[in-house]
Each structure stands twice: as C-alpha cells, then as structure tokens.
C-alpha cells in the first residue's frame, strides 16, 4: 500500500484482516468450551437419560452418570417414571463418602428440578447446563448413550426394570 502512495493506519489493517488465532487465547479472555472440558475433564461428570421399551412397549428410562476424564460409569439407575425426587436420589447415591465432581453437565430436561439443584448445591457440585440443540456440548455423554443403545439395547428384548438393570450392569 505504501508503494502505491497510500498511508494506511494499523487499526484499518486490523479491521479488515483477520489474524490467525491458532493456539492463542480468545480475544475476550474467556475459555472456549473445548478448552474448559480439556482442562477439567478429570473433575467433571456428565449425566443423561436413555429411553427404551420393554417387551410390552412400556417406556423404561436408564439414567447414567459418567466421568468425562476416564469415561467410566460412575452410577446408573433404572425407572419407569423419572421425577425430580428420583433424579436427586440418584445424585445422592452417586456421591457417597465425599466422592464428588467439581462440575456436573446436564441437559435442559424437565426431570432436573429444584430438588436436583439443591442436592447438587449441598454436595458442592456446580451444575452446568448445556445449550439447547447443542449435541457437541456434551459429546462424550451423547456418544456413550449412542453406544449403549446401538451395541446393547437394540439387540435385546427387555422384560422388566430389573432385567434392564442387570443388562446395563453387565
């Protein structure tokens, strides 16, 4: 530009040229979601429901809590009618003896109500809600549920809640 006789301000160049941001922190100083998960995977758990049906086409739900760092199942429960009270009890059972995560990822399901939030707060767990229609926000849990459904539940006829509990636990 100088050879053509134009004087260009540094701010004008910044305005029209995007810098390469590979490996640099975000401009606003906040972490990206991928960076957050990479930094806190060992102290983050994720939870979600799998809906399936028994032999008589009645709905049964399986609730999973998975540790993101090791991708191990921390806790699971089976019920026909999940409620706020039942989900809160599952969190209590998953966190005995001060074994708890720092963060718990969940989706925006109505089953996570005020009692669930209170139990998590009492256990000093920070509950993080994923965005609506953002499957990549909780991708590890979504892939885990897909694997359970594809490799196990799609190939079996479930007789009852007890049978499903045994199948999932095996």
């Amino acid at each position: 530009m100088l050879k053509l006789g134009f004087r260009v301000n540094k701010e004008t160049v910044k305005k029209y040229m995007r810098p390469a941001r590979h490996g640099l922190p975000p401009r606003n100083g906040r972490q990206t979601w991928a960076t957050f998960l990479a930094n806190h995977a060992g102290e983050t758990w994720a939870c979600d429901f799998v809906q399936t049906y028994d032999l008589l086409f009645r709905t049964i739900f399986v609730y999973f809590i998975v540790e993101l760092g090791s991708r191990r199942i921390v806790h699971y429960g089976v019920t026909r009618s999940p409620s706020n009270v039942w989900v809160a009890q599952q969190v209590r059972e998953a966190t005995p003896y001060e074994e708890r995560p720092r963060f718990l990822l969940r989706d925006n399901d109505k089953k996570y109500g005020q009692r669930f939030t209170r139990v998590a707060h009492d256990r000093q767990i920070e509950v993080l809600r994923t965005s609506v229609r953002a499957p990549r926000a909780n991708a590890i849990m979504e892939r885990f549920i897909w694997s359970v459904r594809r490799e196990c539940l799609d190939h079996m006829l479930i007789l009852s809640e007890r049978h499903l509990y045994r199948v999932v636990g095996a």
Side-chain angles (χ1 to χ4, degrees), residues 70-113:
S70 64
R71 298 184 185 187
R72 72 177 175 92
I73 299 173
V74 175
H75 182 76
Y76 68 95
V78 176
T79 185
R80 288 204 185 273
S81 57
S83 64
N84 181 20
V85 175
W86 186 84
V87 176
Q89 181 62 32
Q90 297 306 306
V91 173
R92 275 190 211 97
E93 291 175 10
T95 56
Y97 311 116
E98 299 299 320
E99 179 187 341
R100 64 180 182 268
R102 183 172 167 196
F103 303 104
L104 180 63
L105 292 177
R106 71 168 183 90
D107 55 7
N108 293 306
D109 204 337
K110 297 281 186 190
K111 297 174 189 88
Y112 304 107

mmCIF file of all heavy atoms in Angstrom, residues 70-113:
data_model
loop_
_atom_site.group_PDB
_atom_site.id
_atom_site.type_symbol
_atom_site.label_atom_id
_atom_site.label_comp_id
_atom_site.label_asym_id
_atom_site.label_seq_id
_atom_site.Cartn_x
_atom_site.Cartn_y
_atom_site.Cartn_z
ATOM 1 N N SER A 70 -12.068 -40.313 32.608
ATOM 2 C CA SER A 70 -11.805 -41.733 32.378
ATOM 3 C C SER A 70 -12.896 -42.409 31.562
ATOM 4 O O SER A 70 -12.737 -43.562 31.154
ATOM 5 C CB SER A 70 -11.681 -42.462 33.719
ATOM 6 O OG SER A 70 -12.915 -42.400 34.418
ATOM 7 N N ARG A 71 -14.012 -41.723 31.379
ATOM 8 C CA ARG A 71 -15.187 -42.248 30.663
ATOM 9 C C ARG A 71 -15.733 -43.526 31.292
ATOM 10 O O ARG A 71 -16.205 -44.423 30.614
ATOM 11 C CB ARG A 71 -14.879 -42.462 29.191
ATOM 12 C CG ARG A 71 -14.525 -41.162 28.524
ATOM 13 C CD ARG A 71 -14.310 -41.304 27.075
ATOM 14 N NE ARG A 71 -13.862 -40.005 26.559
ATOM 15 C CZ ARG A 71 -13.715 -39.739 25.292
ATOM 16 N NH1 ARG A 71 -13.976 -40.660 24.411
ATOM 17 N NH2 ARG A 71 -13.317 -38.567 24.915
ATOM 18 N N ARG A 72 -15.655 -43.594 32.596
ATOM 19 C CA ARG A 72 -16.208 -44.744 33.314
ATOM 20 C C ARG A 72 -17.586 -44.384 33.846
ATOM 21 O O ARG A 72 -17.881 -43.215 34.108
ATOM 22 C CB ARG A 72 -15.295 -45.187 34.443
ATOM 23 C CG ARG A 72 -15.256 -44.252 35.615
ATOM 24 C CD ARG A 72 -14.374 -44.760 36.758
ATOM 25 N NE ARG A 72 -14.290 -43.771 37.798
ATOM 26 C CZ ARG A 72 -15.106 -43.726 38.845
ATOM 27 N NH1 ARG A 72 -16.058 -44.626 38.986
ATOM 28 N NH2 ARG A 72 -14.988 -42.789 39.746
ATOM 29 N N ILE A 73 -18.416 -45.405 34.000
ATOM 30 C CA ILE A 73 -19.754 -45.198 34.546
ATOM 31 C C ILE A 73 -19.618 -45.040 36.054
ATOM 32 O O ILE A 73 -19.122 -45.933 36.740
ATOM 33 C CB ILE A 73 -20.685 -46.376 34.224
ATOM 34 C CG1 ILE A 73 -20.836 -46.544 32.720
ATOM 35 C CG2 ILE A 73 -22.035 -46.169 34.875
ATOM 36 C CD1 ILE A 73 -21.609 -47.776 32.327
ATOM 37 N N VAL A 74 -20.048 -43.918 36.564
ATOM 38 C CA VAL A 74 -20.000 -43.663 37.996
ATOM 39 C C VAL A 74 -21.235 -44.261 38.665
ATOM 40 O O VAL A 74 -21.149 -44.874 39.728
ATOM 41 C CB VAL A 74 -19.925 -42.145 38.272
ATOM 42 C CG1 VAL A 74 -19.994 -41.864 39.753
ATOM 43 C CG2 VAL A 74 -18.671 -41.566 37.665
ATOM 44 N N HIS A 75 -22.385 -44.095 38.012
ATOM 45 C CA HIS A 75 -23.637 -44.568 38.596
ATOM 46 C C HIS A 75 -24.678 -44.720 37.490
ATOM 47 O O HIS A 75 -24.630 -44.016 36.490
ATOM 48 C CB HIS A 75 -24.142 -43.553 39.634
ATOM 49 C CG HIS A 75 -25.395 -43.954 40.318
ATOM 50 N ND1 HIS A 75 -25.438 -44.909 41.296
ATOM 51 C CD2 HIS A 75 -26.674 -43.536 40.149
ATOM 52 C CE1 HIS A 75 -26.684 -45.059 41.713
ATOM 53 N NE2 HIS A 75 -27.453 -44.230 41.024
ATOM 54 N N TYR A 76 -25.603 -45.629 37.696
ATOM 55 C CA TYR A 76 -26.742 -45.755 36.788
ATOM 56 C C TYR A 76 -27.953 -46.209 37.579
ATOM 57 O O TYR A 76 -27.834 -46.836 38.626
ATOM 58 C CB TYR A 76 -26.448 -46.713 35.621
ATOM 59 C CG TYR A 76 -26.288 -48.155 36.019
ATOM 60 C CD1 TYR A 76 -27.353 -49.024 35.948
ATOM 61 C CD2 TYR A 76 -25.066 -48.639 36.452
ATOM 62 C CE1 TYR A 76 -27.213 -50.355 36.316
ATOM 63 C CE2 TYR A 76 -24.912 -49.960 36.816
ATOM 64 C CZ TYR A 76 -25.983 -50.810 36.747
ATOM 65 O OH TYR A 76 -25.845 -52.120 37.118
ATOM 66 N N GLY A 77 -29.121 -45.855 37.073
ATOM 67 C CA GLY A 77 -30.368 -46.246 37.697
ATOM 68 C C GLY A 77 -31.426 -46.473 36.639
ATOM 69 O O GLY A 77 -31.345 -45.921 35.542
ATOM 70 N N VAL A 78 -32.411 -47.301 36.976
ATOM 71 C CA VAL A 78 -33.474 -47.651 36.035
ATOM 72 C C VAL A 78 -34.821 -47.359 36.688
ATOM 73 O O VAL A 78 -35.039 -47.696 37.852
ATOM 74 C CB VAL A 78 -33.386 -49.149 35.652
ATOM 75 C CG1 VAL A 78 -34.541 -49.544 34.753
ATOM 76 C CG2 VAL A 78 -32.063 -49.462 34.998
ATOM 77 N N THR A 79 -35.712 -46.726 35.930
ATOM 78 C CA THR A 79 -37.049 -46.434 36.434
ATOM 79 C C THR A 79 -38.031 -46.304 35.269
ATOM 80 O O THR A 79 -37.629 -46.081 34.135
ATOM 81 C CB THR A 79 -37.059 -45.137 37.269
ATOM 82 O OG1 THR A 79 -38.355 -44.961 37.837
ATOM 83 C CG2 THR A 79 -36.709 -43.942 36.423
ATOM 84 N N ARG A 80 -39.309 -46.442 35.596
ATOM 85 C CA ARG A 80 -40.347 -46.231 34.586
ATOM 86 C C ARG A 80 -40.783 -44.768 34.539
ATOM 87 O O ARG A 80 -41.206 -44.281 33.501
ATOM 88 C CB ARG A 80 -41.563 -47.105 34.882
ATOM 89 C CG ARG A 80 -41.303 -48.554 34.605
ATOM 90 C CD ARG A 80 -42.596 -49.291 34.345
ATOM 91 N NE ARG A 80 -42.317 -50.703 34.196
ATOM 92 C CZ ARG A 80 -41.983 -51.272 33.049
ATOM 93 N NH1 ARG A 80 -41.879 -50.552 31.968
ATOM 94 N NH2 ARG A 80 -41.744 -52.560 32.995
ATOM 95 N N SER A 81 -40.699 -44.085 35.652
ATOM 96 C CA SER A 81 -41.156 -42.694 35.689
ATOM 97 C C SER A 81 -40.143 -41.828 36.438
ATOM 98 O O SER A 81 -40.239 -41.665 37.652
ATOM 99 C CB SER A 81 -42.518 -42.602 36.360
ATOM 100 O OG SER A 81 -42.436 -43.157 37.650
ATOM 101 N N PRO A 82 -39.167 -41.292 35.736
ATOM 102 C CA PRO A 82 -38.180 -40.449 36.406
ATOM 103 C C PRO A 82 -38.798 -39.114 36.820
ATOM 104 O O PRO A 82 -39.540 -38.498 36.062
ATOM 105 C CB PRO A 82 -37.105 -40.243 35.343
ATOM 106 C CG PRO A 82 -37.809 -40.433 34.058
ATOM 107 C CD PRO A 82 -38.903 -41.422 34.318
ATOM 108 N N SER A 83 -38.523 -38.713 38.023
ATOM 109 C CA SER A 83 -39.033 -37.445 38.537
ATOM 110 C C SER A 83 -37.876 -36.674 39.155
ATOM 111 O O SER A 83 -36.761 -37.183 39.276
ATOM 112 C CB SER A 83 -40.121 -37.703 39.585
ATOM 113 O OG SER A 83 -39.554 -38.368 40.700
ATOM 114 N N ASN A 84 -38.168 -35.478 39.575
ATOM 115 C CA ASN A 84 -37.172 -34.647 40.215
ATOM 116 C C ASN A 84 -36.631 -35.307 41.483
ATOM 117 O O ASN A 84 -35.426 -35.300 41.743
ATOM 118 C CB ASN A 84 -37.809 -33.286 40.532
ATOM 119 C CG ASN A 84 -36.864 -32.329 41.177
ATOM 120 O OD1 ASN A 84 -35.657 -32.469 41.097
ATOM 121 N ND2 ASN A 84 -37.427 -31.339 41.823
ATOM 122 N N VAL A 85 -37.508 -35.912 42.267
ATOM 123 C CA VAL A 85 -37.112 -36.582 43.510
ATOM 124 C C VAL A 85 -36.230 -37.785 43.203
ATOM 125 O O VAL A 85 -35.201 -38.001 43.862
ATOM 126 C CB VAL A 85 -38.369 -37.017 44.298
ATOM 127 C CG1 VAL A 85 -37.995 -37.805 45.522
ATOM 128 C CG2 VAL A 85 -39.208 -35.811 44.647
ATOM 129 N N TRP A 86 -36.591 -38.570 42.201
ATOM 130 C CA TRP A 86 -35.810 -39.764 41.843
ATOM 131 C C TRP A 86 -34.418 -39.388 41.337
ATOM 132 O O TRP A 86 -33.425 -40.011 41.710
ATOM 133 C CB TRP A 86 -36.562 -40.575 40.787
ATOM 134 C CG TRP A 86 -35.909 -41.873 40.468
ATOM 135 C CD1 TRP A 86 -36.045 -43.054 41.148
ATOM 136 C CD2 TRP A 86 -35.003 -42.134 39.396
ATOM 137 N NE1 TRP A 86 -35.276 -44.027 40.561
ATOM 138 C CE2 TRP A 86 -34.624 -43.485 39.476
ATOM 139 C CE3 TRP A 86 -34.474 -41.363 38.375
ATOM 140 C CZ2 TRP A 86 -33.747 -44.079 38.584
ATOM 141 C CZ3 TRP A 86 -33.598 -41.947 37.483
ATOM 142 C CH2 TRP A 86 -33.239 -43.292 37.596
ATOM 143 N N VAL A 87 -34.332 -38.358 40.504
ATOM 144 C CA VAL A 87 -33.038 -37.935 39.970
ATOM 145 C C VAL A 87 -32.165 -37.382 41.088
ATOM 146 O O VAL A 87 -30.954 -37.644 41.137
ATOM 147 C CB VAL A 87 -33.221 -36.900 38.837
ATOM 148 C CG1 VAL A 87 -31.892 -36.379 38.353
ATOM 149 C CG2 VAL A 87 -33.986 -37.513 37.686
ATOM 150 N N ALA A 88 -32.737 -36.644 42.018
ATOM 151 C CA ALA A 88 -31.974 -36.135 43.162
ATOM 152 C C ALA A 88 -31.426 -37.284 43.997
ATOM 153 O O ALA A 88 -30.272 -37.234 44.462
ATOM 154 C CB ALA A 88 -32.853 -35.221 44.014
ATOM 155 N N GLN A 89 -32.217 -38.332 44.179
ATOM 156 C CA GLN A 89 -31.749 -39.510 44.922
ATOM 157 C C GLN A 89 -30.601 -40.208 44.188
ATOM 158 O O GLN A 89 -29.665 -40.702 44.811
ATOM 159 C CB GLN A 89 -32.906 -40.490 45.153
ATOM 160 C CG GLN A 89 -32.511 -41.725 45.928
ATOM 161 C CD GLN A 89 -32.013 -41.412 47.321
ATOM 162 O OE1 GLN A 89 -32.441 -40.455 47.954
ATOM 163 N NE2 GLN A 89 -31.073 -42.210 47.798
ATOM 164 N N GLN A 90 -30.633 -40.231 42.872
ATOM 165 C CA GLN A 90 -29.543 -40.838 42.101
ATOM 166 C C GLN A 90 -28.241 -40.063 42.296
ATOM 167 O O GLN A 90 -27.167 -40.653 42.379
ATOM 168 C CB GLN A 90 -29.901 -40.899 40.612
ATOM 169 C CG GLN A 90 -31.102 -41.754 40.293
ATOM 170 C CD GLN A 90 -30.982 -43.155 40.843
ATOM 171 O OE1 GLN A 90 -30.020 -43.853 40.596
ATOM 172 N NE2 GLN A 90 -31.969 -43.558 41.631
ATOM 173 N N VAL A 91 -28.334 -38.748 42.380
ATOM 174 C CA VAL A 91 -27.136 -37.939 42.638
ATOM 175 C C VAL A 91 -26.610 -38.213 44.037
ATOM 176 O O VAL A 91 -25.399 -38.325 44.247
ATOM 177 C CB VAL A 91 -27.427 -36.435 42.438
ATOM 178 C CG1 VAL A 91 -26.250 -35.582 42.865
ATOM 179 C CG2 VAL A 91 -27.766 -36.169 40.983
ATOM 180 N N ARG A 92 -27.501 -38.359 45.006
ATOM 181 C CA ARG A 92 -27.073 -38.719 46.367
ATOM 182 C C ARG A 92 -26.342 -40.053 46.378
ATOM 183 O O ARG A 92 -25.304 -40.203 47.017
ATOM 184 C CB ARG A 92 -28.280 -38.806 47.296
ATOM 185 C CG ARG A 92 -28.706 -37.521 47.878
ATOM 186 C CD ARG A 92 -29.744 -37.728 48.979
ATOM 187 N NE ARG A 92 -30.627 -36.594 49.003
ATOM 188 C CZ ARG A 92 -31.809 -36.540 48.417
ATOM 189 N NH1 ARG A 92 -32.298 -37.568 47.782
ATOM 190 N NH2 ARG A 92 -32.526 -35.446 48.468
ATOM 191 N N GLU A 93 -26.892 -41.029 45.675
ATOM 192 C CA GLU A 93 -26.273 -42.360 45.646
ATOM 193 C C GLU A 93 -24.946 -42.355 44.893
ATOM 194 O O GLU A 93 -24.062 -43.151 45.182
ATOM 195 C CB GLU A 93 -27.226 -43.361 44.998
ATOM 196 C CG GLU A 93 -28.446 -43.659 45.849
ATOM 197 C CD GLU A 93 -29.439 -44.567 45.141
ATOM 198 O OE1 GLU A 93 -29.098 -45.109 44.065
ATOM 199 O OE2 GLU A 93 -30.545 -44.733 45.656
ATOM 200 N N ALA A 94 -24.787 -41.469 43.932
ATOM 201 C CA ALA A 94 -23.555 -41.422 43.136
ATOM 202 C C ALA A 94 -22.424 -40.712 43.870
ATOM 203 O O ALA A 94 -21.261 -40.841 43.460
ATOM 204 C CB ALA A 94 -23.815 -40.724 41.801
ATOM 205 N N THR A 95 -22.736 -39.973 44.919
ATOM 206 C CA THR A 95 -21.706 -39.186 45.610
ATOM 207 C C THR A 95 -21.604 -39.550 47.085
ATOM 208 O O THR A 95 -21.755 -38.692 47.957
ATOM 209 C CB THR A 95 -22.012 -37.682 45.466
ATOM 210 O OG1 THR A 95 -23.329 -37.444 45.970
ATOM 211 C CG2 THR A 95 -21.901 -37.218 44.040
ATOM 212 N N PRO A 96 -21.281 -40.799 47.409
ATOM 213 C CA PRO A 96 -21.107 -41.140 48.821
ATOM 214 C C PRO A 96 -19.689 -40.805 49.292
ATOM 215 O O PRO A 96 -18.761 -40.703 48.484
ATOM 216 C CB PRO A 96 -21.343 -42.649 48.842
ATOM 217 C CG PRO A 96 -20.805 -43.095 47.535
ATOM 218 C CD PRO A 96 -21.120 -41.981 46.563
ATOM 219 N N TYR A 97 -19.537 -40.646 50.585
ATOM 220 C CA TYR A 97 -18.207 -40.517 51.202
ATOM 221 C C TYR A 97 -17.369 -39.413 50.575
ATOM 222 O O TYR A 97 -16.183 -39.585 50.310
ATOM 223 C CB TYR A 97 -17.445 -41.840 51.137
ATOM 224 C CG TYR A 97 -18.242 -43.015 51.599
ATOM 225 C CD1 TYR A 97 -18.568 -44.029 50.709
ATOM 226 C CD2 TYR A 97 -18.705 -43.103 52.896
ATOM 227 C CE1 TYR A 97 -19.318 -45.110 51.121
ATOM 228 C CE2 TYR A 97 -19.457 -44.181 53.313
ATOM 229 C CZ TYR A 97 -19.758 -45.177 52.425
ATOM 230 O OH TYR A 97 -20.503 -46.246 52.830
ATOM 231 N N GLU A 98 -17.985 -38.278 50.299
ATOM 232 C CA GLU A 98 -17.274 -37.117 49.750
ATOM 233 C C GLU A 98 -16.641 -37.357 48.380
ATOM 234 O O GLU A 98 -15.784 -36.612 47.947
ATOM 235 C CB GLU A 98 -16.204 -36.627 50.737
ATOM 236 C CG GLU A 98 -16.745 -36.184 52.071
ATOM 237 C CD GLU A 98 -17.711 -35.018 51.960
ATOM 238 O OE1 GLU A 98 -17.458 -34.111 51.170
ATOM 239 O OE2 GLU A 98 -18.717 -35.035 52.673
ATOM 240 N N GLU A 99 -17.033 -38.408 47.690
ATOM 241 C CA GLU A 99 -16.572 -38.635 46.318
ATOM 242 C C GLU A 99 -17.524 -37.894 45.392
ATOM 243 O O GLU A 99 -18.660 -38.296 45.201
ATOM 244 C CB GLU A 99 -16.585 -40.128 45.979
ATOM 245 C CG GLU A 99 -16.142 -40.416 44.568
ATOM 246 C CD GLU A 99 -16.322 -41.871 44.188
ATOM 247 O OE1 GLU A 99 -16.434 -42.707 45.076
ATOM 248 O OE2 GLU A 99 -16.365 -42.142 42.980
ATOM 249 N N ARG A 100 -17.044 -36.796 44.860
ATOM 250 C CA ARG A 100 -17.925 -35.969 44.031
ATOM 251 C C ARG A 100 -17.094 -35.219 42.993
ATOM 252 O O ARG A 100 -15.907 -34.995 43.179
ATOM 253 C CB ARG A 100 -18.696 -34.988 44.885
ATOM 254 C CG ARG A 100 -17.812 -33.984 45.583
ATOM 255 C CD ARG A 100 -18.638 -33.027 46.421
ATOM 256 N NE ARG A 100 -17.802 -32.045 47.041
ATOM 257 C CZ ARG A 100 -17.273 -32.164 48.239
ATOM 258 N NH1 ARG A 100 -17.503 -33.245 48.947
ATOM 259 N NH2 ARG A 100 -16.514 -31.210 48.742
ATOM 260 N N PRO A 101 -17.754 -34.809 41.920
ATOM 261 C CA PRO A 101 -17.057 -33.999 40.921
ATOM 262 C C PRO A 101 -17.119 -32.523 41.298
ATOM 263 O O PRO A 101 -17.853 -32.121 42.201
ATOM 264 C CB PRO A 101 -17.863 -34.253 39.658
ATOM 265 C CG PRO A 101 -19.254 -34.386 40.179
ATOM 266 C CD PRO A 101 -19.112 -35.134 41.492
ATOM 267 N N ARG A 102 -16.371 -31.741 40.590
ATOM 268 C CA ARG A 102 -16.477 -30.291 40.754
ATOM 269 C C ARG A 102 -17.613 -29.747 39.885
ATOM 270 O O ARG A 102 -18.310 -28.825 40.267
ATOM 271 C CB ARG A 102 -15.160 -29.647 40.364
ATOM 272 C CG ARG A 102 -15.129 -28.162 40.570
ATOM 273 C CD ARG A 102 -13.740 -27.622 40.348
ATOM 274 N NE ARG A 102 -13.783 -26.173 40.256
ATOM 275 C CZ ARG A 102 -12.812 -25.439 39.785
ATOM 276 N NH1 ARG A 102 -11.700 -26.023 39.364
ATOM 277 N NH2 ARG A 102 -12.916 -24.149 39.727
ATOM 278 N N PHE A 103 -17.780 -30.361 38.694
ATOM 279 C CA PHE A 103 -18.810 -29.929 37.745
ATOM 280 C C PHE A 103 -19.656 -31.121 37.333
ATOM 281 O O PHE A 103 -19.154 -32.235 37.222
ATOM 282 C CB PHE A 103 -18.173 -29.327 36.492
ATOM 283 C CG PHE A 103 -17.259 -28.175 36.769
ATOM 284 C CD1 PHE A 103 -15.890 -28.331 36.728
ATOM 285 C CD2 PHE A 103 -17.774 -26.918 37.066
ATOM 286 C CE1 PHE A 103 -15.037 -27.275 36.983
ATOM 287 C CE2 PHE A 103 -16.932 -25.850 37.320
ATOM 288 C CZ PHE A 103 -15.561 -26.036 37.280
ATOM 289 N N LEU A 104 -20.931 -30.880 37.082
ATOM 290 C CA LEU A 104 -21.849 -31.901 36.587
ATOM 291 C C LEU A 104 -22.583 -31.321 35.380
ATOM 292 O O LEU A 104 -23.312 -30.333 35.508
ATOM 293 C CB LEU A 104 -22.843 -32.313 37.668
ATOM 294 C CG LEU A 104 -23.872 -33.367 37.294
ATOM 295 C CD1 LEU A 104 -23.191 -34.689 36.945
ATOM 296 C CD2 LEU A 104 -24.857 -33.581 38.424
ATOM 297 N N LEU A 105 -22.373 -31.928 34.215
ATOM 298 C CA LEU A 105 -23.041 -31.489 32.985
ATOM 299 C C LEU A 105 -24.396 -32.159 32.875
ATOM 300 O O LEU A 105 -24.518 -33.362 33.109
ATOM 301 C CB LEU A 105 -22.215 -31.870 31.759
ATOM 302 C CG LEU A 105 -20.895 -31.174 31.550
ATOM 303 C CD1 LEU A 105 -20.211 -31.750 30.322
ATOM 304 C CD2 LEU A 105 -21.096 -29.703 31.385
ATOM 305 N N ARG A 106 -25.390 -31.388 32.478
ATOM 306 C CA ARG A 106 -26.723 -31.938 32.256
ATOM 307 C C ARG A 106 -27.372 -31.175 31.120
ATOM 308 O O ARG A 106 -26.954 -30.078 30.769
ATOM 309 C CB ARG A 106 -27.579 -31.850 33.508
ATOM 310 C CG ARG A 106 -28.004 -30.431 33.859
ATOM 311 C CD ARG A 106 -29.072 -30.463 34.927
ATOM 312 N NE ARG A 106 -29.593 -29.164 35.274
ATOM 313 C CZ ARG A 106 -30.630 -28.592 34.691
ATOM 314 N NH1 ARG A 106 -31.253 -29.202 33.703
ATOM 315 N NH2 ARG A 106 -31.074 -27.419 35.085
ATOM 316 N N ASP A 107 -28.413 -31.780 30.549
ATOM 317 C CA ASP A 107 -29.150 -31.080 29.503
ATOM 318 C C ASP A 107 -30.298 -30.299 30.134
ATOM 319 O O ASP A 107 -30.381 -30.181 31.346
ATOM 320 C CB ASP A 107 -29.622 -32.050 28.418
ATOM 321 C CG ASP A 107 -30.445 -33.195 28.974
ATOM 322 O OD1 ASP A 107 -30.767 -33.183 30.174
ATOM 323 O OD2 ASP A 107 -30.770 -34.109 28.204
ATOM 324 N N ASN A 108 -31.191 -29.799 29.329
ATOM 325 C CA ASN A 108 -32.275 -28.937 29.818
ATOM 326 C C ASN A 108 -33.578 -29.690 30.038
ATOM 327 O O ASN A 108 -34.652 -29.146 29.808
ATOM 328 C CB ASN A 108 -32.490 -27.784 28.833
ATOM 329 C CG ASN A 108 -31.308 -26.868 28.812
ATOM 330 O OD1 ASN A 108 -30.885 -26.371 29.838
ATOM 331 N ND2 ASN A 108 -30.740 -26.658 27.639
ATOM 332 N N ASP A 109 -33.500 -30.915 30.476
ATOM 333 C CA ASP A 109 -34.672 -31.744 30.684
ATOM 334 C C ASP A 109 -35.455 -31.263 31.907
ATOM 335 O O ASP A 109 -34.873 -30.780 32.880
ATOM 336 C CB ASP A 109 -34.230 -33.198 30.880
ATOM 337 C CG ASP A 109 -35.306 -34.177 30.545
ATOM 338 O OD1 ASP A 109 -36.489 -33.803 30.584
ATOM 339 O OD2 ASP A 109 -34.974 -35.333 30.236
ATOM 340 N N LYS A 110 -36.756 -31.432 31.875
ATOM 341 C CA LYS A 110 -37.619 -31.035 32.991
ATOM 342 C C LYS A 110 -37.424 -31.935 34.214
ATOM 343 O O LYS A 110 -37.853 -31.585 35.304
ATOM 344 C CB LYS A 110 -39.090 -31.076 32.573
ATOM 345 C CG LYS A 110 -39.443 -30.115 31.481
ATOM 346 C CD LYS A 110 -39.597 -28.738 32.024
ATOM 347 C CE LYS A 110 -40.101 -27.827 30.913
ATOM 348 N NZ LYS A 110 -40.050 -26.447 31.301
ATOM 349 N N LYS A 111 -36.803 -33.082 34.025
ATOM 350 C CA LYS A 111 -36.602 -34.005 35.139
ATOM 351 C C LYS A 111 -35.606 -33.461 36.160
ATOM 352 O O LYS A 111 -35.578 -33.905 37.296
ATOM 353 C CB LYS A 111 -36.116 -35.351 34.612
ATOM 354 C CG LYS A 111 -37.109 -36.032 33.708
ATOM 355 C CD LYS A 111 -36.504 -37.283 33.109
ATOM 356 C CE LYS A 111 -37.373 -37.857 32.038
ATOM 357 N NZ LYS A 111 -37.109 -37.304 30.737
ATOM 358 N N TYR A 112 -34.770 -32.523 35.744
ATOM 359 C CA TYR A 112 -33.815 -31.902 36.651
ATOM 360 C C TYR A 112 -34.465 -30.664 37.240
ATOM 361 O O TYR A 112 -34.446 -29.595 36.659
ATOM 362 C CB TYR A 112 -32.536 -31.501 35.914
ATOM 363 C CG TYR A 112 -31.871 -32.626 35.182
ATOM 364 C CD1 TYR A 112 -31.915 -32.699 33.802
ATOM 365 C CD2 TYR A 112 -31.189 -33.615 35.864
ATOM 366 C CE1 TYR A 112 -31.289 -33.715 33.117
ATOM 367 C CE2 TYR A 112 -30.570 -34.639 35.196
ATOM 368 C CZ TYR A 112 -30.627 -34.689 33.824
ATOM 369 O OH TYR A 112 -30.020 -35.696 33.143
ATOM 370 N N GLY A 113 -35.046 -30.822 38.404
ATOM 371 C CA GLY A 113 -35.782 -29.715 39.001
ATOM 372 C C GLY A 113 -35.045 -29.091 40.170
ATOM 373 O O GLY A 113 -33.831 -29.190 40.322
#
